[in-house]
């Protein structure tokens, strides 16, 4: 089934919204009120994530910061998204007591949604590619969720909608609702948090914020906030291999697609997702997967922190922007994200055997990064 744009049509989530309970029923309203309270209380218990400094030579006059989203209770940037999606679904009357929440996810969103499902006492099913890291599967199950694996990553949407119809549950559909469930005008969203944390730094208004895109919700939130607050900051999205976002953005093609799935878990999509807002972005970069891996290994070498592959995709682009600023003699600050911790990917991005099996040679990209950090010159 295809839409007029040439991309697969999004399956209806209507079965998840056909309620068989009276919205005015006192027992349901009491459950709903308590569920919303529990989700909001989680936010109150969670301190903001740290903004870390990436070491650069002082004489460059440039500061590079990494917003460490791995310190959320479920260990990733997706904790923010999952919280917003649950509040959105609850307040819209889509999530019901005793009925499962189902999500199409490559891992981290599912870990976070499983956490919130358990928090409010509903079942959770994650529909995800069979290639998802075993550690993410373990974390989903640890949070009380169930994993439904598919061989073709492109079928996660249809399978999720079908499970929702079969069970009477709610298909959360992060790829549609990520950009609208989050309050991009403020309310301590990730962009507002970054600016508050930079307030006393020498370059409090960053020249660039670099994000990566899975749903596209984070980049949409950041870009809209920047424009709403009338900042001069530019927003760049780094896109991995096996993802269509870059081509769709370059060619203004909402029907762009690509075969297969991304090797960089959590980002990159085979089709242009509804939550990806290309018109809000100032720039995109296409980043080779080997460069992403080289970047996270460089991050570990200079900071002692392991991070996931999506962090490497953003960090590679952020460092390239820093190199452009150095070459132009400009000072300022750049911000990117630590999306999730590297211990979820020890059998992938930190495994030389996995790299060899994928045919990825990170040596040239590692050399580029090492030469840049030593000299300030970027050699593609």
């Amino acid at each position: 089934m295809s839409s007029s744009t040439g991309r697969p049509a999004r399956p209806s989530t209507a079965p998840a919204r056909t309620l068989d309970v009276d919205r005015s029923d006192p027992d349901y309203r009491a459950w709903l009120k308590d569920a919303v309270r529990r989700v909001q209380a989680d936010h109150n218990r969670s301190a903001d994530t740290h903004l870390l400094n990436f070491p650069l030579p002082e004489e460059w006059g440039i500061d590079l910061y990494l917003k460490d989203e791995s310190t959320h209770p479920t260990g990733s940037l997706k904790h923010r998204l999952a919280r917003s999606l649950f509040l959105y679904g609850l307040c819209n009357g889509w999530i019901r007591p005793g009925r499962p929440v189902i999500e199409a996810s490559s891992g981290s969103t599912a870990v976070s949604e499983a956490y919130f499902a358990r928090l409010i006492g509903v079942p959770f099913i994650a529909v995800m590619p069979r290639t998802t890291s075993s550690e993410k599967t373990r974390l989903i199950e640890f949070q009380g969720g169930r994993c439904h694996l598919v061989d073709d990553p492109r079928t996660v949407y249809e399978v999720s909608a079908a499970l929702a119809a079969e069970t009477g549950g709610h298909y959360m559909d992060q790829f549609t609702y990520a950009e609208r469930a989050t309050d991009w005008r403020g309310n301590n969203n990730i962009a507002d948090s970054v600016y508050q944390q930079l307030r006393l730094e020498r370059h409090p208004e960053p020249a660039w914020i670099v994000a990566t895109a899975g749903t596209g919700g984070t980049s949409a939130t950041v870009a809209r906030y920047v424009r709403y607050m009338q900042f001069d900051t530019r927003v760049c999205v780094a896109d991995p291999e096996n993802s269509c976002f870059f081509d769709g953005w370059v060619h203004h093609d909402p029907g762009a697609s690509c075969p297969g799935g991304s090797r960089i878990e959590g980002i990159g999509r085979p089709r242009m997702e509804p939550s990806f807002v290309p018109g809000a972005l100032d720039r995109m970069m296409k980043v080779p997967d080997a460069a992403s891996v080289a970047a996270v290994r460089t991050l570990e070498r200079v900071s002692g922190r392991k991070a996931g592959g999506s962090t490497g995709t953003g960090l590679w682009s952020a460092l390239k922007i820093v190199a452009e600023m150095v070459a132009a003699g400009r000072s300022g600050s750049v911000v990117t994200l630590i999306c999730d911790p590297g211990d979820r990917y020890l059998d992938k991005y930190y495994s030389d055997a996995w790299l060899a099996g994928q045919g990825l040679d990170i040596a040239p990209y590692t050399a580029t990064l090492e030469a840049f950090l030593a000299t300030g010159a970027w050699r593609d």
Side-chain angles (χ1 to χ4, degrees), residues 48 127 149 175 224 250 324 326:
D48 202 358
V127 179
L149 304 179
F175 298 105
R224 288 165 167 170
V250 169
E324 293 169 357
V326 171

Side-chain angles (χ1 to χ4, degrees), residues 58-79:
E58 181 70 23
E59 61 269 21
W60 291 1
I62 300 171
D63 298 317
L64 174 58
Y65 300 95
L66 296 97
K67 180 73 166 161
D68 188 4
E69 295 292 284
S70 71
T71 58
H72 282 295
T74 53
S76 82
L77 168 68
K78 299 299 186 180
H79 194 85

